[in-house]
Every structure is written in C-alpha cells, then in structure tokens.
Amino acid sequence: MMRTYAGHSTAAASNALYRTNLAKGQTGLSVAFDLPTQTGYDPDSPLARGEVGKVGVPVPHLGEMRRLFEDIPLTAMNTSMTINAVAMWMLAMYQVVAEEQNPDLSPEDVAAQLAGTTQNDIIKEYLSRGTYAFPPEASMRLIADMIAYTVHQIPKWNPINICSYHLQEAGATPTQELAYALSTAIAVLDQVKSSGQVNDEDFEKVVGRISFFVNAGVRFIEETCKMRAFVQLWDEITQERYGVQDPKMRRFRYGVQVNSLGLTEAQPENNVQRIVLEMLGVTLSKNARARALQLPAWNEALGLPRPWDQQWSLRLQQVLAFESDLLEYDDIFDGSHVIEAKVAELVEGARAEIDRVQAMGGAIAAVEYMKSELVSSHAARRARIEAGDEVIVGVNRFETTEPSPLTADLDGAIMAADPEAEKTARSSVEAWKAQRDEGEVAEALAALAAAAKTDANLMAPTLAAARAGATTGEWAATLREVFGEYRGPTGVTGAVVVEAGAELTAVRERVKSTGEELSGNTGGRLRLLVGKPGLDGHSNGAEQVAVRARDAGFEVIYQGIRLTPEQIVAAAVAEDVHCIGLSILSGSHMELVPDVLDGLREAGLGDVPVIVGGIIPESDGRRLLELGVAAVYTPKDFGLTEIMGGIVDVIRRANDLD
C-alpha cells in the first residue's frame, strides 16, 4: 500500500490533491484533518482561530465530507483517516457519503464493502499528540462502541490503529515504544471484552482487525529489531492473554510513517537519505515488514510541503518497490546472532515495562507515569545531542555547507496555507446550518446525549446525527456536556533533572543574579510562562523548554496545551511573569502571537518580553520581530541551554539591566 498523508485548506482543494496522487500511482488515501476537526470544534469556534485548514482539511459537516471524496468511489478505496477523539463521527459521515454514492445498494451492503482505517488511539493523545476531546474512560467507551460496530457492520474496516509513532516523537526509547503501544492495545482489548458487545468468536476478528502505526527512526539495526520484537510480543499477548488460536488473527499488522522528529531544518537535503534509511528499517525484514508505508517530505522541518515534495516521497517508495530486488527474497535476517540478541534484549525490556504498567492498573491508570517517563527520555536525548554525544549531521557536526539550490528561495521551498481557508470554512458552516432542518438536528443531538448517559452503543445515534446534518462541533459539544472536559498531564513536574555541565551552571548563575537584581536582592526568581495557544497539541518542544528552564533556575509556569490568547494573558497577569514563551507548531503563529501581544498591551503588560518557538518560515519570523516579539526560535536552534541564556538576555534588555 503506497500512501501520502495529505489534506489542507479546503475539502475541494484536498479532493483535487487526492485525485492527482491517485493518478500518479498512489494506491490508497491517508487523510489529514485540521486541528479544529480533530479536537471536535467547528471553524467558527473561538478556539479554532488561526488553525482552520493549517495541518489538514476542515470537515465540519456532511457537505464537506461529500466534497472531500467527490468522484472518488469509496467502496473501491482503502482510506486511512488520522482521526482519534472524533473517529466515530468521521466514520459515520464517511459511511453516509458512501451510501449516497451507491443509492442502489442497501446501507448494509455499502458498509460491508468499505475498507480502511481510523486511527482512534486516544491514549497516545494524552501522552504525546494532544488532540483528545473527552476524558479517558469516556474515550475508551467510544472506541469500544466503534470496534463492536465495525466488527459486525464494516468487517473490512480497521477500527483502531494503535500508534507507537507519536510516542517515539515524544521521546520514547524503542523499549518504551514497544511497551506503551502494546499496553494501549491491551487496554483497548480489555475494554471491548468487558463491554459485552462482542462474543468470543467475533473477539478473534477484533484482534485480527487491530492495526498499528509505527515510527521508524534512523538507527536502522535497532528499528529492524524493534519491528521483529513487536511481531513476537503481539503474537505472545494475543495467544496467551486472549487465547486467539488463528495465526492469521495474531499477525502484527502495521503501517509506518517514518520519523519526522529527526528531520532537520539545517541542511534539509540530508533528510532524503534519512527517510530512505528509515524506510529500509521497516521493509528489509520480510517477517516484520510494514504493510503500508507513508513518508514525510524532505522539507517538513521548514513548513508545509508542496505537491512536488510529496511526489518525491512517493517516488522513493516506488524505486524501492519496483527497481530494487528488496521484495524478492525471504527474510535476510533469519539466523543472525546480532539481530536475535538485540531482539531478545528489546523483548525482555518491553515485557518488564508492560508488567509495570499493568501493575498500576493498565494504560489508562498509568497515563501520568508514562507521560513523565517520555518527557524524561526526551530530555535525556536532547542533552546527548547538545553535548555532541548523539551526532546529527549538519546540526551538531559537519555544519559547514555549500549554498543549497533547494532552499535558495526559502519562502518558495514550502507551500503557504490558503489564507482564505478559515473564512471559506466559516461560510460553509453558516450556509450548511441555513439549509438544514434545525428541529431534526436538535432531536438527533438530544437522542445522542440520552444514549451517552446509558451504556448503549453510540454509533447508531451518531449516524442519525450525521444524517440529520449536525456539525462536528455540535456532536462533540453534546458529548462534552455528558462526559465533561479533560486536561492531560504535562509530565514536566516528574521529569528527571539534566546533569548541569559548565554551560548550564553559568546560565543558572545569570538566572539567579538577574532575579536578585530585579527583586532588589531579596532572592526573587525569574518567572517564565510557557504557553501553547490554539489547538496545537504537539507539546514536546514546550515541555522540553519548561524542563530545561526549571533546571536553569527559572520559576516555570506551564499549564499545558490548548489555551486561548486571553487565558495566556490572564496567567501572565496572575503570575507577574518576567517573560512569556509561546510554542506553536501548527502554522497559526501569525494569527495567535499578535493576539497575545495585543492582549498584553491591553492588560498593561506591553513591556513583558515575548519569545516564540515553532516551525516558522524566515519571512514570518521577521514579521513577528517587527510586531514586537523579542526572539524567534525554530528547529535549527537545538541548544536548549543556549536558548535559556537568550531568555535571560531578553529579560535584561526589557528591564534595562544592560
């Protein structure tokens, strides 16, 4: 299966991109949804400001789902949807569109032909990606309901895609990636079993439909062994814990997106060979080979890839599949003592960590523990990179470079998000609501709320709400009313302290002395507010800044993800901070940062310096500095201790201490 993860701006623009990619030889679709859609908000929600159409396509109602798949026959397609908190809702709309495309068939016959995957792994959202909508127990109930529905009604659908991918992005070692992903799978299967919606015979089918979404890093041997360990452990768990007898149902079925975290902004042309090495790590071992592969583009650390960049990634797969002899041989690693020893080491470590999680009560109960472990692992890795113990070519070694023709025009090397996407999406919601039957929508949402208060399967009332014309935001808001709101753990408090070398010790002294200067030698500490405005849940960078700032002696205020600019300003006022650091990776910096700056001025804090970090094109960085931002940091600025020194400089300048 060859896919490119894609979707942007509007459903119409994404539909055109899908049809182009299918014509180029892509054999399946992998849909990227924007952050408001992923987190259950409509484009006209205040929380959606700046985020509409940025990291994917907005799908706020059935009309946009129709546009997204126009002229693409869904009964003949294999579609992967990267959607989690609102997976049930997206699958319902997808099914309704397929029914509309096939009016001569019964809804049951249409459903039986649908093939694809909904990611639907909520635990990793609490640990790493942040696009949750509901509390853990309620989210697990939605997952179990959807799995039970698909096993009975859409038998070719993979209702959940357990994701170790994002765990590695959040700092997981191979052992942690194995253990936490498999612990998530155990939690899901236990939930399905305890729900009583699936009998023993169908439970084997549930196990057989679970797929995994794995990360492949650049450490080729380790990644190959990790995949062989996954295969071995999954076979053990499904046979010993759940009694699955059919070897086909125990098969470890997985797709891969190779590592985006390791892609560098510095010398980005090196990312191509990184991607190829990572692709080989999940394809060379036949007995542990990925069933579907999608590759990032070489320039993802710079911004949104263009269609040509996506095509380049697709061609990498095609060269491997059709020009090389990679697929012609049995497993070339069988009998290797080196591989067998490494696999055994990973299996042993993962078993021990799985046992630790189970002893805590399972993955849901252990969310805070796992989050803290990931933040600690990530901090340790960052420290190794900064010390030069872990080499990143072009970043901390071999930094000299010839001018690159690929990045000669930096603004032209990436695709700009459609500035009209948010306006178009808001208009679409307004027009959609104007033509629907409001009474029918209200009735359907009331029925959904009533069902949510019982233990009924929620797929049927969700389908009814989709057919009635409810919006994504309305569906999610109805369930939030019943289930309540939730804010995930940050993992910062329990993270390990990085050992202080000479550089960090020097920064600590400057933090201490500057705090004393500002407080009149009364021992006051510098206070740094780390904020994540908008819906961007990729909090790894913010967490690492918060941990290093704590280790450097700052008093750190970090409240986690998904804050409005107003909430960040209110926190700055309440905590009387000396500096505000904003982290945005979704591309919404040009909307949200000015909102924070305006809010600070209105609150009388216009003199408090603001720094910004994220995937920010150079031209946007210049504009932010012109607007009054004190400093802009991007992925090329990997030295966290150096950044801490820069924050002290910013505070001293703002207070005329130099």
Side-chain angles (χ1 to χ4, degrees):
M1 181 72 64
M2 295 187 189
R3 292 179 171 138
T4 304
Y5 182 53
H8 66 91
S9 304
T10 65
S14 299
N15 172 264
L17 178 61
Y18 295 161
R19 287 189 282 116
T20 299
N21 286 348
L22 289 168
K24 287 177 182 173
Q26 194 169 288
T27 56
L29 295 176
S30 181
V31 181
F33 295 96
D34 74 351
L35 287 173
T37 303
Q38 290 186 51
T39 49
Y41 295 100
D42 287 333
D44 55 0
S45 165
L47 271 168
R49 171 162 162 71
E51 306 281 20
V52 179
K54 285 279 170 66
V55 302
V57 58
V59 184
H61 55 73
L62 186 60
E64 294 296 346
M65 189 65 94
R66 288 173 187 147
R67 285 191 189 96
L68 187 64
F69 294 109
E70 193 173 349
D71 297 324
I72 298 174
L74 296 187
T75 50
M77 193 52 50
N78 190 303
T79 304
S80 170
M81 292 192 272
T82 301
I83 199 75
N84 298 283
V86 299
M88 177 181 282
W89 177 247
M90 288 298 136
L91 178 62
M93 289 200 290
Y94 186 86
Q95 180 180 329
V96 172
V97 170
E99 291 169 5
E100 292 174 348
Q101 289 183 354
N102 297 275
D104 298 336
L105 298 176
S106 69
E108 293 75 18
D109 287 342
V110 171
Q113 293 183 48
L114 297 180
T117 302
T118 30
Q119 193 171 97
N120 207 18
D121 172 5
I122 206 67
I123 293 177
K124 66 94 176 48
E125 296 302 326
Y126 305 132
L127 295 179
S128 57
R129 197 166 165 270
T131 66
Y132 51 79
F134 315 114
E137 292 78 8
S139 297
M140 293 297 282
R141 180 237 177 125
L142 289 174
I143 290 169
D145 283 358
M146 199 172 140
I147 288 173
Y149 175 80
T150 55
V151 79
H152 295 132
Q153 304 295 329
I154 318 181
K156 291 196 284 186
W157 197 267
N158 301 314
I160 186 165
N161 191 221
I162 307 290
C163 297
S164 75
Y165 177 86
H166 310 89
L167 303 180
Q168 188 181 121
E169 298 260 297
T173 64
T175 299
Q176 290 171 328
E177 189 179 339
L178 286 160
Y180 298 163
L182 292 170
S183 293
T184 295
I186 289 168
V188 168
L189 289 174
D190 285 357
Q191 179 86 19
V192 172
K193 218 173 201 357
S194 65
S195 76
Q197 298 185 69
V198 176
N199 62 30
D200 289 344
E201 185 182 344
D202 285 335
F203 189 79
E204 283 216 351
K205 296 176 187 172
V206 169
V207 174
R209 294 314 301 180
I210 285 188
S211 60
F212 289 76
F213 184 58
V214 178
N215 203 329
V218 77
R219 290 174 59 79
F220 168 76
I221 301 299
E222 196 167 63
E223 294 297 327
T224 298
C225 293
K226 181 187 76 182
M227 295 324 306
R228 290 169 73 95
F230 255 131
V231 170
Q232 181 179 329
L233 285 163
W234 184 239
D235 188 71
E236 282 178 16
I237 290 166
T238 53
Q239 188 168 15
E240 295 171 12
R241 187 181 179 99
Y242 299 108
V244 177
Q245 297 304 308
D246 186 346
K248 287 184 180 176
M249 295 296 110
R250 300 199 307 265
R251 185 181 297 155
F252 186 78
R253 301 161 60 250
Y254 78 100
V256 174
Q257 157 88 22
V258 309
N259 190 295
S260 292
L261 178 69
L263 302 183
T264 63
E265 181 184 10
Q267 299 181 30
E269 63 276 8
N270 294 335
N271 293 330
V272 177
Q273 52 265 36
R274 290 187 180 107
I275 291 168
V276 171
L277 264 175
E278 291 163 353
M279 175 172 57
L280 288 172
V282 292
T283 52
L284 270 183
S285 179
K286 184 178 181 181
N287 296 337
R289 182 171 290 154
R291 296 170 70 87
L293 186 61
Q294 58 192 46
L295 306 180
W298 68 278
N299 55 349
E300 279 193 18
L302 304 176
L304 190 65
R306 302 156 298 187
W308 182 85
D309 307 310
Q310 292 183 328
Q311 176 184 288
W312 191 357
S313 290
L314 179 62
R315 295 291 184 253
L316 293 178
Q317 294 187 59
Q318 289 167 329
V319 168
L320 181 146
F322 299 111
E323 291 190 31
S324 83
D325 60 353
L326 176 74
L327 305 179
E328 296 173 15
Y329 296 93
D330 288 336
D331 200 305
I332 61 173
F333 295 110
D334 282 353
S336 164
H337 301 305
V338 172
I339 297 293
E340 286 174 5
K342 184 64 180 176
V343 171
E345 176 194 322
L346 290 173
V347 165
E348 184 181 356
R351 280 197 197 116
E353 191 67 6
I354 291 169
D355 289 346
R356 192 172 291 114
V357 169
Q358 294 309 304
M360 293 177 184
I364 288 291
V367 160
E368 198 156 336
Y369 161 75
M370 293 190 289
K371 177 68 177 178
S372 182
E373 289 294 294
L374 292 176
V375 173
S376 295
S377 293
H378 200 173
R381 178 175 183 268
R382 291 297 300 248
R384 289 196 303 274
I385 292 170
E386 290 179 52
D389 297 333
E390 186 169 321
V391 175
I392 310 292
V393 173
V395 174
N396 63 358
R397 199 182 295 182
F398 313 114
E399 297 156 69
T400 58
T401 179
E402 295 297 322
S404 168
L406 288 173
T407 55
D409 174 14
L410 268 179
D411 291 331
I414 54 173
M415 193 165 111
D418 181 359
E420 294 296 307
E422 187 165 328
K423 183 179 172 185
T424 301
R426 290 168 72 98
S427 300
S428 168
V429 171
E430 189 179 337
W432 179 257
K433 289 182 176 179
Q435 56 82 45
R436 69 185 185 177
D437 184 328
E438 289 297 330
E440 191 181 347
V441 173
E443 188 179 329
L445 292 174
L448 174 67
K453 292 170 185 172
T454 72
D455 60 359
N457 188 300
L458 294 181
M459 195 69 198
T462 293
L463 279 161
R467 292 189 178 105
T471 67
T472 299
E474 289 168 338
W475 178 85
T478 299
L479 293 181
R480 280 189 179 101
E481 281 290 314
V482 179
F483 298 148
E485 298 278 354
Y486 177 76
R487 182 169 288 280
T490 67
V492 168
T493 306
V496 295
V497 176
V498 172
E499 189 177 331
E503 188 184 4
L504 184 56
T505 300
V507 172
R508 275 183 187 167
E509 286 300 317
R510 295 190 65 216
V511 169
K512 184 172 181 286
S513 61
T514 301
E516 289 172 349
E517 285 181 68
L518 289 174
S519 62
N521 287 317
T522 59
R525 294 171 67 195
L526 292 185
R527 290 179 296 282
L528 172 68
L529 173 64
V530 178
K532 282 202 62 72
L535 295 174
D536 168 32
H538 285 90
S539 56
N540 304 330
E543 289 155 4
Q544 292 307 310
V545 167
V547 169
R548 188 62 60 85
R550 177 203 67 187
D551 294 349
F554 286 92
E555 183 181 329
V556 180
I557 299 96
Y558 175 55
Q559 299 167 321
I561 63 170
R562 214 177 296 178
L563 299 172
T564 63
E566 292 77 16
Q567 288 171 318
I568 289 171
V569 170
V573 172
E575 301 288 348
D576 189 24
V577 299
H578 296 103
C579 183
I580 299 168
L582 303 178
S583 169
I584 306 174
L585 283 86
S586 63
S588 58
H589 46 269
M590 292 310 298
E591 292 85 6
L592 296 176
V593 174
D595 285 356
V596 172
L597 294 173
D598 292 344
L600 289 169
R601 280 191 283 269
E602 289 168 18
L605 296 182
D607 57 343
V608 174
V610 175
I611 61 172
V612 182
I615 298 176
I616 300 171
E618 202 171 286
S619 56
D620 286 357
R622 289 194 297 270
R623 179 72 184 125
L624 289 173
L625 293 172
E626 289 166 6
L627 291 171
V629 167
V632 175
Y633 295 102
T634 65
K636 71 177 182 300
D637 303 302
F638 69 94
L640 283 176
T641 299
E642 193 177 326
I643 290 172
M644 295 306 121
I647 294 173
V648 177
D649 292 339
V650 160
I651 292 171
R652 294 187 68 83
R653 279 198 301 273
N655 290 277
D656 297 321
L657 293 181
D658 290 331

